[in-house]
Amino acid sequence: MRSPRVLLIVLSVILLAEYYSFIVVRSAVRSFPNAWRIGLLTFYVLVTTLAWVSIFFFRRIDWAHVPHLLRNIYIAFTIGFFVGKLFVLLIMLIDDARRLVMWLIHFFVPAANTTTTSFIEKGMSRSTFLRQVALLVGGTMLGGFIYGVSNRYKYRVRRVQLKLDKLPAAFKGLKIVQVSDIHTGSFDNHHAVAHGIQKVLDEKADIIFFTGDLVNNHTEEVDKQYQQLYAQLKAPLGVYSILGNHDYGDYAQWPSDAAKKKNLQDLKDMQAAMGWRMLNNENVVLERNGDKIAIIGVENWSAKANFPKYGDMAKAYTGLDSSIPVKILLSHDPSHWDAQVTTGYPDVQLTLSGHTHGMQFGIEIPGFKWSPVKYMYKNWAGLYKQGEQYLYVNRGFGFLGYPGRLGILPEITVIELV
């Protein structure tokens, strides 16, 4: 349970965001005719009220009978609406801080010449300018999240070459494809997903790794049609998978513990039937021309308090020959890497994770990447290195919650060992 202090902070931020957003909208329509001004403000308040009411009653809505497009636009609009208001809050707080500094200067140094020439001519004050910027940014965020719905199936293939000093000769040039966080229960377009699976197949990988979260909660999300689709994933050295935090059914209500356990067992059985080898705190050794490398798979283990620690590295190492020069670890949550792998298992040269989705929202341009998830996860997308150990965090194949991608596209990772 969250502490009262945290809830108070969250409530304060929400109230401030709503207050400043109303001020910005009111300022924007101030010059409108009276009837238009009242009508637009009333409409804004009504939309805000409906958005908050819908959040509280979200779980009671029978989404199965709501068209997917309408549901997706509603969710994207609601998320964009509130994220936009948070950006409005940030900009307006900057303006208030500026005005506070100016007031303090006037108060303590009344004789000082504190007037400056505005870079905005014709009488527009800085506060008016910042209100307009806040409105523009807020509206852009809203439009962006709605646009992002169209990106949810725009799979991007990201290619990485890794030099592992101890890589045996027989495994040089090994081509790995990593897929993570499919979240089948979120899909609404089988044809689009099939296109993504075909992209994986087109890579002709030597081995395929799936790093967790096949479902949102229930095994039945993967119906026969999707089972047949995922079963197409084949590679000469096999397809290996692990469990993610959503695969355990921890976020759903179950009639009994037995029902929850059956759901998990059904998921394991289904992946086996698809030809995927699941590694639950265990390892497998691959051999080529007498050379060996090891694949280690752990159940979900997170350094974050809100996520479970089912993984057991000691158990996963059971029977593993320590002389094997290269070990690749599949671990769903990237916080595991810093918390246990780099500190206690220096012989793991490469760890493959997912989990973060890059928050499905952020900025990625050459030389710069940012997402709010970076404030929760130090390693949240792409390649990281510490000493001689690598971590790659896949941005996710599917989506969860927000039915879209804004700036962070769904990913298929291709890693070549050289």
Side-chain angles (χ1 to χ4, degrees):
M1 181 179 292
R2 293 180 178 178
S3 68
R5 180 181 299 178
V6 172
L7 292 176
L8 180 61
I9 292 173
V10 171
L11 181 61
S12 299
V13 170
I14 290 172
L15 291 176
L16 281 173
E18 291 293 353
Y19 168 75
Y20 278 118
S21 296
F22 179 79
I23 295 299
V24 167
V25 172
R26 186 181 66 181
S27 175
V29 301
R30 181 172 295 165
S31 61
F32 286 31
N34 192 52
W36 274 98
R37 185 174 68 254
I38 295 174
L40 288 172
L41 286 175
T42 301
F43 176 75
Y44 170 80
V45 171
L46 179 62
V47 170
T48 298
T49 302
L50 289 174
W52 277 111
V53 169
S54 69
I55 287 176
F56 287 111
F57 289 95
F58 184 85
R59 292 184 178 275
R60 299 185 182 182
I61 300 174
D62 185 6
W63 291 108
H65 295 90
V66 177
H68 282 291
L69 180 61
L70 181 61
R71 181 196 66 183
N72 290 341
I73 292 176
Y74 154 73
I75 296 175
F77 175 87
T78 302
I79 293 175
F81 197 49
F82 291 122
V83 171
K85 289 183 178 184
L86 290 177
F87 276 86
V88 169
L89 170 62
L90 176 62
I91 295 171
M92 295 303 290
L93 285 177
I94 292 173
D95 183 45
D96 277 355
R98 178 194 65 81
R99 290 195 289 176
L100 176 61
V101 170
M102 295 302 295
W103 180 85
L104 289 172
I105 293 175
H106 278 288
F107 183 82
F108 289 106
V109 194
N113 180 12
T114 58
T115 60
T116 57
T117 303
S118 174
F119 63 90
I120 304 171
E121 302 296 337
K122 300 182 180 180
M124 180 183 288
S125 69
R126 288 182 178 86
S127 293
T128 300
F129 171 72
L130 286 173
R131 287 194 200 103
Q132 293 188 3
V133 170
L135 184 65
L136 176 63
V137 171
T140 300
M141 294 307 302
L142 173 59
F145 272 92
I146 294 175
Y147 164 76
V149 173
S150 65
N151 290 332
R152 64 194 187 279
Y153 298 115
K154 290 184 179 178
Y155 303 104
R156 179 174 180 180
V157 177
R158 292 181 177 269
R159 303 182 187 278
V160 179
Q161 279 194 341
L162 291 182
K163 182 180 179 181
L164 303 183
D165 291 337
K166 297 180 180 180
L167 185 68
F171 288 94
K172 289 181 179 179
L174 182 73
K175 191 174 187 180
I176 299 168
V177 168
Q178 181 196 5
V179 178
S180 192
D181 299 88
I182 290 179
H183 288 285
T184 308
S186 298
F187 291 148
D188 57 5
N189 188 331
H190 181 272
H191 177 74
V193 178
H195 176 67
I197 296 297
Q198 186 58 51
K199 277 180 169 286
V200 176
L201 295 173
D202 289 344
E203 293 299 323
K204 301 186 185 305
D206 294 308
I207 191 168
I208 297 174
F209 294 134
F210 173 67
T211 47
D213 280 358
L214 183 63
V215 298
N216 294 342
N217 292 293
H218 302 93
T219 299
E220 62 189 26
E221 295 168 24
V222 188
D223 59 22
K224 292 294 183 182
Q225 194 176 25
Y226 279 111
Q227 289 180 40
Q228 293 171 1
L229 180 61
Y230 300 154
Q232 294 177 24
L233 294 176
K234 304 290 184 184
L237 294 178
V239 179
Y240 295 88
S241 66
I242 57 171
L243 293 168
N245 56 300
H246 280 268
D247 293 322
Y248 295 92
D250 288 341
Y251 310 117
Q253 293 183 340
W254 301 94
S256 65
D257 288 341
K260 181 181 178 183
K261 291 178 181 178
K262 182 180 184 303
N263 179 73
L264 179 57
Q265 188 58 51
D266 287 347
L267 183 70
K268 295 176 180 178
D269 293 342
M270 181 183 64
Q271 291 197 28
M274 296 187 316
W276 297 11
R277 168 73 186 277
M278 184 178 287
L279 300 176
N280 293 314
N281 298 323
E282 55 188 313
N283 64 79
V284 64
V285 175
L286 304 180
E287 185 170 352
R288 269 183 175 179
N289 300 328
D291 288 336
K292 298 178 181 180
I293 64 172
I295 311 300
I296 304 167
V298 295
E299 295 192 48
N300 192 72
W301 194 100
S302 177
K304 306 298 180 180
N306 294 331
F307 297 103
K309 292 178 172 60
Y310 296 115
D312 187 332
M313 285 290 286
K315 184 178 179 182
Y317 262 71
T318 301
L320 185 58
D321 185 350
S322 60
S323 66
I324 294 177
V326 168
K327 299 178 182 68
I328 299 173
L329 173 67
L330 311 182
S331 180
H332 178 69
D333 192 310
S335 65
H336 187 206
W337 190 64
D338 273 330
Q340 277 197 345
V341 180
T342 59
T343 58
Y345 297 88
D347 57 341
V348 173
Q349 285 83 7
L350 172 62
T351 300
L352 300 179
S353 298
H355 183 61
T356 69
H357 301 204
M359 209 169 183
Q360 299 168 212
F361 162 63
I363 301 171
E364 286 199 88
I365 57 177
F368 178 78
K369 66 179 180 181
W370 174 89
S371 169
V373 77
K374 70 173 292 183
Y375 304 114
M376 295 175 278
Y377 283 87
K378 173 185 173 183
N379 308 311
W380 58 275
L383 184 66
Y384 302 88
K385 184 180 182 183
Q386 183 169 319
E388 297 303 317
Q389 294 179 282
Y390 289 98
L391 166 70
Y392 192 90
V393 184
N394 181 284
R395 295 161 179 83
F397 185 89
F399 49 90
L400 181 69
Y402 170 51
R405 293 273 184 161
L406 183 57
I408 307 290
L409 295 179
E411 176 178 359
I412 298 165
T413 311
V414 179
I415 300 174
E416 183 182 3
L417 303 184
V418 298

